[in-house]
Amino acid sequence: MFKKSNFKYFACALVFLSVIMSCDSKGSLENALDLTVSEGFENPLGFYNANPTFSWKLPVSESNKSQSAYHIVVAGSPDLLPDNADLWDSEKQTSKQSTWITYKGKPLESRQKVYWQVKYWNQDGEASTWSETNHFELGLLNNSDWKANWIGLDTAKDSIRGRGKVLIHKPQYLRKGFELSDDVTSARLYITSKGVFDVSINGENVSDDAMSPGFTTYDKRIETLTYDVTDLIESGQNMIGVELASGWYSGRLLWGTTPWDNRISPKVLAQLEMTMSDGSKEIIVSDDSWKGMTNGPLQFAEIYDGEIYNANLEMPDWTTINFDDKDWMSVEVAALDAKVKLEPKRHTAVKDKIKLVPQDITSNDGVAVFDLKQNMVGVPVVNVPMKKGDTLKIRFAEMLSPDGTFYTKNYRSAHSTDYYIAAKDGDIEYQPKFTFHGFRFVELSGFDTSETPTKDWVTGIVQYSDFEDNGTFTSSHDKLNQLQSNIVWGLRGNFLDIPTDCPQRNERLGWTGDAQVFGPTSMFNADVYKFWASWLQSVREAQLEDGAIPWTVPDSRGNKIGSSGWGDVGTIIPWKIYMRTGDVGFLEDNFEMMKNWVRYHQKKSNKHISNMMSFSDWLQPFPESGDNRGDTSRNLIGTAFFAHSAKLTALTAEVLGKTEEQAKYEALYQTVAKAFDDKFFDETGKVKGVTETQTSYLLALAFDLLPESKIKNAQTNLLRKLKDADYHLRTGFLGTPLLSRVLDDMGEVDMVYKLLFNETYPSWFYSINQGATTIWERWNSYSKTEGYNPMSMNSLNHYAYGAIGEWMYERIAGIAPLEAGYKVIKIAPQVKEPLTSASASLNTPFGKVLSSWEIKDGKFDLEVVIPPNTTAKVIIPADTSQTLEIDGKTFEDNSNMKLIATGNDTFELEVQPGTYTFQSKLK
Ligand code: RAM
């Protein structure tokens, strides 16, 4: 018989089972958040990667210390999730990994729509609920997916030669009408250009992207864009219209010659694929049925030089069916080139990101000057009263000359001026489309002078690749905060599709050395992993047979040689970004390039001493040689980077589990380091045979190139060189980023603070004292007493010296990765005068980290946030004879934190995820 007690037992068991089941299958923990694919894409359309990785974050909660397992399900339809995943079911995997998990399901194809969810189990084996369903849709992955052909007008034919003897291609207007007998349920426009384009359908702009498709190694790869245009297509008559200009493809670039060809007229490639309500497919492609003309309002558009817009030539409704194109010409057609891969854009397009309004306005004699008080990059929108037939001239400048006139000498040959010709009396609105400028000041002339200029006539539209801020840094010191702001604006100004040296003169190229030094800092301030991954693909494509990485990427010079310290971007950026993301796949992608670059170093050296060409310690102040390349020996620099690149390649091989190659490159590094030491250092650890500079010691110490016995002396020599310079830096592009780290490693944080807070030339604050709102190319690009640096190579928006930002985050605020990707975080703020507080937050692959400190009434307060699925080592400065408090109570070891060491003046704790406030007394 079934006894009552048995029933009780049975009921309990049932309850227990259902609890377990609900934990295990339905889950009780909050679902995972921030689901992304590959390098941080959220639900991308026109995605490039058929072999994606998956990442997510655990929500912050008391229950979530770490992940113990995950389960990913991937399907071709959302209805199949989570139980019937037809593409991939990872099954429950015991793993702490919540980032960069590689898809291992059925092969994915062009156009495929993919849906996915994830759940995780926490440290106690409790399961979460399934995440929301995320998705991605692949773009056209292969050239063979394209039925379209390149089309356009032959604008080379009747072109004149402009500045730099480069052909000027008139902007083109291209259109195509088509009729649909049914309703559309889904429509995708796949489109790209040789040049830059803007596309509309039925009078509506398809997107707010700017300067698409961007700048790639056009002789190898052109990126394509995908747009969901379902809502723009109508049953019946439709019209698609494309505006097309030269951009980077057929436009003017410094040095004129390109591996692609300025003589080739810009072209467009478009494929509109539609699914109709009866399930059938329709496709409209760029072909010989399109028509075009060049006599539209945009008469001229060049990146360096600006635009000419003639409103008298406007063609209202030309992208709708209500327009007659009988005078238009038939387009020319060109087949796809098998050697040039068409691939979906692998980072985000440029967009209008920020609006700046003028803070000041002056006007005189029909000329009005608007001051945005911030050096920026993008275009203006002008809303100005005009008289019919008049030409509005829009000039730009980064700064004014002392007499109030525009300082434009540093634009060099970039005309950087826009013109608007009015078609009627009254207010006009104009935003240039196929150019961009670097400016703080806008000058207008040619407007209706019967009206008094007002600030709302001009708005600054800041444009850059569409990424978001990723971190914040602030402190108690106004000038340090201004420096942080200048670094961030340097980033915004020079991340317009590719990382550029400068955004305003006739250059704006992907200078590899500048990218090498600034890359790490950019990763703190902005969500730019995909931006770098994309550009590194271009670097790989630009790498030459012998391993040389060109000076600029994409390579618009084609001179087939590399520069030490510049080409090393190919080893340094992969490694540095890996440390910040923990994405092993990124190292895999770049490993061959790293090895090839080391091979080039080998080729350019004799008995391991480099003889590679180098821009050297570019723009070092007070060069004895009077040369831009500074005084540090080219061979010393080359040999140092040779060893360093070999070392980074060895470290990469280690992560990739390639033991033999690790040993090979480690041995090479040792050999080159030995050769470096023998050749350039004497027995006492002093530089020999070449000019002794700060940078020569910095390279030797930063790259670990000296035997143990010489390190102390080399450090002393570096300090002597600093003292000789009255405790000022004497470093250029290569030495400067190493200063803070080397001195810090030497225990000379006081010296870093000294250099960082220096007000006099050369120093970071010197430019701030002269009014800088961005980082300058030279330590003395301008001075209030001496005016502008007489050199025309004098950009006022050049991010290289902003590389100090990395140290500000990692050491002043104190957030650094101890393990790649911040799986283990080090919080170790450097608390020094004159700061009384500093604070940084950073969105790591696991979530937000915060380190925020303040000194108040002799007490040191540190607020720390550690995200789930990580651990942290927190090093708190303190008089360790006094107690450490947490949230006002005496610290005791507990499950959230353990004291692991008590130093002379620090407490060292191991801390689990959570939010904490520590208080210590300082010595
Ligand atoms: C300049 C660039 C860049 C630098 C090279 C060597 O033209 O502006 O910053 O890397 O020269």
Side-chain angles (χ1 to χ4, degrees), residues 54-165:
F54 298 105
S55 305
W56 57 90
K57 291 182 185 128
L58 270 53
V60 175
S61 102
E62 272 302 303
S63 331
N64 281 336
K65 294 292 174 239
S66 64
Q67 177 185 289
S68 60
Y70 68 80
H71 186 174
I72 301 171
V73 283
V74 184
S77 152
D79 312 337
L80 298 175
L81 294 179
D83 296 330
N84 299 303
D86 60 340
L87 293 173
W88 186 43
D89 187 330
S90 77
E91 317 244 288
K92 180 176 174 183
Q93 297 294 320
T94 304
S95 166
K96 284 180 178 281
Q97 204 183 335
S98 56
T99 52
W100 329 119
I101 306 224
T102 309
Y103 172 73
K104 293 205 187 81
K106 291 192 186 143
L108 303 179
E109 293 169 359
S110 295
R111 308 176 181 86
Q112 193 160 350
K113 282 188 195 161
V114 180
Y115 299 85
W116 69 288
Q117 283 182 291
V118 66
K119 69 191 280 191
Y120 65 90
W121 285 257
N122 73 2
Q123 66 287 344
D124 303 322
E126 289 172 87
S128 73
T129 52
W130 283 103
S131 68
E132 278 178 15
T133 304
N134 274 244
H135 51 88
F136 58 90
E137 180 180 317
L138 292 160
L140 299 187
L141 303 174
N142 316 297
N143 286 20
S144 58
D145 293 318
W146 290 86
K147 306 280 171 282
N149 281 305
W150 292 107
I151 58 158
L153 299 173
D154 183 355
T155 48
K157 207 169 48 194
D158 49 1
S159 273
I160 50 161
R161 289 192 180 270
R163 289 166 186 251
K165 302 223 168 13

Side-chain angles (χ1 to χ4, degrees), residues 585-603:
F586 185 60
L587 290 180
E588 266 158 19
D589 288 348
N590 291 300
F591 188 51
E592 281 306 306
M593 169 173 67
M594 300 172 91
K595 292 195 296 186
N596 288 335
W597 173 248
V598 173
R599 183 159 57 80
Y600 185 68
H601 265 300
Q602 254 161 329
K603 174 180 162 184

Side-chain angles (χ1 to χ4, degrees), residues 81 232 273 316 399 481 513 716:
L81 294 179
L232 302 184
E273 298 188 5
M399 271 175 84
N481 296 344
T716 312

